[in-house]
Amino acid sequence: MTLAAQARAALARGDLPAAAQAAQRLAMEQPEQPDGYFLLGMAAVEAGQVAKALPMLEHALARGRDAEHLAQYAKLLILLRRDGDAAQAARDAMAAGTQDARTLDTIGCVLARLGDHETSIAPFEGAVAAEPDNLSYRYNLAAACGFTGRVEAARDHYETILKADPGDSRVHYALAILSRQSVEVNSLPRLEAALARAAQPENRLRIRYALAKSHEDMGNGREAFTYLSAANADHKRTIGYDFAQDRAIFDAIEGLFSDGAPAAWGAGLEESAPIFIVGMPRTGTTLVDRILSSHPSVGSAGELQAMPLAVKQLTATSSRLVIDPETIAASATIDPLAIGRAYMARAEHHRPKGTPRFIDKLPANFLYVGHIARALPQARIICLRRHPMDTVWSNYKNLFASQSTYYAYSYDLMDTARYYARFDGLMALWDRLFPGRVLSLSYEALVADQEGQTRRLLDHCGLDWDAACLSFHENKAAVATPSAAQVRRPINADAVARWKRHAADLAPVAHWLATQGIAVD
């Protein structure tokens, strides 16, 4: 067995010392060849030694442009949040050409992480063609099909997976949200059977959410709430969430801006005018993104982490969290011009080609409105507002990234209500500090008067009227949010006052919000 084969075999069985030893010998015996350095890098990656892995892969690429090496380099760059470099490496890997299923799947995953779901389809299809029985590769292709509107193809791939693995909870949930369930066509018996077999908490979480969504679609409010409350109560215990974590973040932001913008801040970056769509999740942010990106002068860059990461990078705080009280406090001494430049550098490679303006649709950027307003004075900011009870309910019933700290509040109704109240107060602070900078847009008003509210949107963004914005549902761009199915249909009032189906169960939330001065009638 060659040294390269020895290293790969050791990696496959998880024997990292043996893999590193074989790769080291290979690099010493063949210093002008890339394989030894590449395998040393892969052993370091598996050991969690990212800083050590990076130069090894770069040494390999200096000696050859192999597609596998480029794909793994791109994956590593994603971990290091070097998205622009990762995008280039992924494109180079595709150009290098390969029939290897793992490499093709890796390229697709990198592109998907970068939000380029349309381009990810081809490598995912190649991976599945090469290894049709690999369920992980097929799942990635199915998800990409769903994001890009290929609904029937997505469903076919998901069903193929379930034939081989009837308990795959990711697939059960994906199928539930792919399209509306009905009394005539639904998967309730299959979901209930899968729940009975599910042993892992994460599997039970997804299947219960799938059952809740199906019952909600069918008008079975009591059953939907029962499954949701069980799923969320279990998950809150699993992640150990306490609202004090988010309270501290809101307190830190309000403390930083208690007397206006920090005194040390100067001028920001004047020449750039991105469009930020912010607000609580599930309040119409994706809908507004589709409306605006249907304008010929605007493209959507998706939900970027560029602003949170720019602030984190410049504060250089030691915590592993992107946002925490320490990072917020440290941002008081950062030059807003530096924030603006760091943001634009991170956002640049996500910008769609061919449009002068771009949208950043990360809802949680409402936490950074103060930073945005000073760092990017020409930026336009739109905050979606939805009825408080619909906002709480829609957050509670949606399964976000289950390990993300951004959404940890959403597994408890009262935590979600508390979060909404703090959001509401923070937006009031931004309005006082930066009057006119944030357009507050009512979801209900948009549904009731699509053209009138669309004209408000375009005017706020400094854009001329274009009737294409009224036909947002014809926009072919990928959608990687839970609203993917909704925004491919014309605007409708189906989601307005949805909370009233669960008024009895939500009564404590309504009462508490009223005590906070938040009208719910």
Side-chain angles (χ1 to χ4, degrees), residues 170-182:
R170 293 187 307 168
V171 172
H172 284 300
Y173 180 66
L175 278 168
I177 65 173
L178 189 64
S179 58
R180 193 175 184 85
Q181 310 296 295
S182 67

Side-chain angles (χ1 to χ4, degrees), residues 123-442:
F124 282 145
E125 286 180 336
V128 170
E131 292 187 21
D133 294 332
N134 187 307
L135 302 186
S136 177
Y137 298 165
R138 191 175 290 277
Y139 176 86
N140 291 338
L141 174 58
C145 287
F147 293 152
T148 55
R150 298 166 169 87
V151 175
E152 291 308 316
R155 182 178 288 109
D156 289 345
H157 288 302
Y158 285 138
E159 292 292 351
T160 298
I161 295 170
L162 286 182
K163 287 178 183 175
D165 182 7
D168 192 318
S169 63
R170 293 187 307 168
V171 172
H172 284 300
Y173 180 66
L175 278 168
I177 65 173
L178 189 64
S179 58
R180 193 175 184 85
Q181 310 296 295
S182 67
V183 174
E184 295 77 22
V185 181
N186 65 76
S187 301
L188 290 182
R190 184 167 71 178
L191 287 170
E192 288 161 356
L195 180 61
R197 296 191 300 269
Q200 299 301 317
E202 192 76 12
N203 292 334
R204 291 196 297 272
L205 174 73
R206 293 194 187 100
I207 295 170
R208 281 171 171 157
Y209 261 90
L211 280 160
K213 198 273 184 181
S214 299
H215 278 294
E216 180 83 353
D217 285 351
M218 296 162 60
N220 304 329
R222 181 70 260 171
E223 291 85 349
F225 192 88
T226 298
Y227 280 116
L228 267 180
S229 58
N232 285 340
D234 281 355
H235 193 61
K236 182 180 177 180
R237 283 191 294 269
T238 298
I239 63 177
Y241 173 73
D242 188 312
F243 185 73
Q245 298 164 222
D246 280 311
R247 181 187 298 119
I249 290 173
F250 281 102
D251 287 348
I253 296 169
E254 291 171 358
L256 179 64
F257 290 92
S258 59
D259 298 318
W265 280 9
L269 185 66
E270 288 284 351
E271 62 266 28
S272 296
I275 299 169
F276 290 87
I277 300 175
V278 307
M280 289 282 286
R282 309 296 294 139
T283 57
T285 55
T286 302
L287 172 60
V288 172
D289 176 80
R290 299 293 276 192
I291 290 171
L292 286 175
S293 62
S294 296
H295 193 284
S297 296
V298 183
S300 177
E303 297 188 359
L304 303 184
Q305 287 283 334
M307 182 55 68
L309 289 175
V311 173
K312 180 68 175 180
Q313 169 196 344
L314 292 168
T315 58
T317 51
S318 59
S319 70
R320 298 184 60 138
L321 297 172
V322 174
I323 185 170
D324 56 19
E326 177 191 7
T327 301
I328 294 162
S331 71
T333 61
I334 302 173
D335 180 2
L337 182 61
I339 296 176
R341 286 172 174 164
Y343 170 82
M344 292 303 297
R346 287 186 172 275
E348 181 61 33
H349 67 276
H350 290 283
R351 297 181 60 170
K353 302 296 185 288
T355 58
R357 304 284 296 281
F358 74 94
I359 300 166
D360 181 340
K361 195 204 80 70
L362 181 70
N365 271 332
F366 78 83
L367 297 165
Y368 293 89
V369 166
H371 296 83
I372 293 167
R374 289 297 294 270
L376 296 163
Q378 301 303 316
R380 300 299 196 270
I381 309 170
I382 300 148
C383 181
L384 266 294
R385 303 303 300 259
R386 190 178 178 187
H387 188 285
M389 294 298 293
D390 271 330
T391 301
V392 171
W393 172 243
S394 64
N395 275 250
Y396 183 71
K397 76 184 183 73
N398 187 80
L399 181 58
F400 299 104
S402 60
Q403 301 305 314
S404 171
T405 58
Y406 277 131
Y407 311 111
Y409 65 84
S410 68
Y411 302 103
D412 181 280
L413 274 172
M414 292 311 302
D415 285 340
T416 307
R418 294 182 188 98
Y419 196 93
Y420 177 86
R422 294 305 298 264
F423 155 78
D424 188 61
L426 187 57
M427 293 313 303
L429 173 65
W430 299 142
D431 284 341
R432 290 195 301 273
L433 295 180
F434 308 104
R437 285 300 307 274
V438 182
L439 174 67
S440 182
L441 186 73
S442 162

Side-chain angles (χ1 to χ4, degrees), residues 444-508:
E444 290 80 7
L446 179 60
V447 168
D449 180 16
Q450 181 184 0
E451 181 173 336
Q453 294 303 311
T454 299
R455 288 183 181 277
R456 282 186 71 215
L457 270 174
L458 297 180
D459 183 62
H460 180 72
C461 296
L463 295 164
D464 294 331
W465 170 253
D466 195 295
C469 295
L470 299 179
S471 303
F472 65 88
H473 54 286
E474 297 175 3
N475 190 328
K476 301 301 183 185
V479 185
T481 76
S483 304
Q486 295 97 305
V487 297
R488 291 197 172 96
R489 294 183 284 123
I491 205 162
N492 60 76
D494 290 356
V496 173
R498 185 73 62 82
W499 72 274
K500 290 185 177 180
R501 298 181 182 180
H502 308 277
D505 290 311
L506 296 175

Side-chain angles (χ1 to χ4, degrees), residues 2-27:
T2 66
L3 288 171
Q6 289 177 38
R8 288 182 181 275
L11 281 171
R13 66 176 182 269
D15 187 350
L16 301 185
Q21 184 178 31
Q24 181 71 47
R25 285 181 56 198
L26 179 60

